[in-house]
Amino acid sequence: MSILNILRYPDPRLHKVAQPVTQFDARLEKLVADMAETMYDAPGIGLAASQVDVHEQLILVDISETKDALVAYINPEIIWASDEMQVYDEGCLSVPGIYDGVERHARVKVRALDVKAQPFEVEADGLLAVCLQHEMDHLKGKVFVEYLSPLKRNRIKAKLQKEERGMAREANLRAQGRRY
């Protein structure tokens, strides 16, 4: 297993639409294992393949306190959503340090395949419903900040771009053997 690089907003690759998974093989199992290690290391409760620059319909979710309830959802689709909506403060591994309220369906029913191509369905509410909708948005090329006002989104983009420049400058200085 290995830790994968998580794309950071506003990286344009986060907006690529993921394609359905068609091969259920050792490569897919390794991708799931690598993504799980990456998600737990970050630390996070969900991760979409799109966030690690693999544009296939695969998401991982583990909302358990003990981090031992990992579920891989392959080619997931929402087959039912409640009319009732709720607002949760969301964060994202691709938008580090940023949290804001997003309105989503309070309950959803999701159909997906597991790593052995076996179909299953999950009815979810609360945090699981939010997490599933959030991660499935990534597969459509959508990041949670796109639900926010343009003003908030632009401030977040500017802040993350500034942090990115600072990290690049620091890495360059380290490569030259200098520290400031």
Side-chain angles (χ1 to χ4, degrees), residues 106-131:
R107 294 181 314 285
V108 294
K109 187 173 188 178
V110 173
R111 179 184 300 141
L113 301 172
D114 67 15
V115 293
K116 301 294 184 191
Q118 296 302 305
F120 67 97
E121 292 181 2
V122 171
E123 290 188 40
D125 61 6
L127 181 58
L128 180 57
V130 170
C131 193

Side-chain angles (χ1 to χ4, degrees), residues 164-177:
E164 201 67 33
R165 285 190 301 272
M167 290 187 308
R169 186 171 46 252
E170 191 175 305
N172 188 28
L173 291 173
R174 246 186 269 120
Q176 295 173 14

Side-chain angles (χ1 to χ4, degrees), residues 4 7 18 31 35 47-60 135 138-139:
L4 304 172
L7 300 177
L31 176 59
M35 284 177 59
L47 185 67
S50 299
Q51 292 177 271
V52 294
D53 204 20
V54 176
H55 303 283
E56 297 177 24
Q57 294 178 10
L58 163 63
I59 64 173
L60 302 183
E135 298 308 331
H138 280 296
L139 302 181

Side-chain angles (χ1 to χ4, degrees), residues 37-71:
E37 185 174 0
T38 303
M39 182 184 80
Y40 289 131
D41 181 68
I45 61 171
L47 185 67
S50 299
Q51 292 177 271
V52 294
D53 204 20
V54 176
H55 303 283
E56 297 177 24
Q57 294 178 10
L58 163 63
I59 64 173
L60 302 183
V61 175
D62 184 352
I63 61 167
S64 70
E65 293 288 326
T66 52
K67 303 299 176 208
D68 61 355
L70 182 72
V71 179

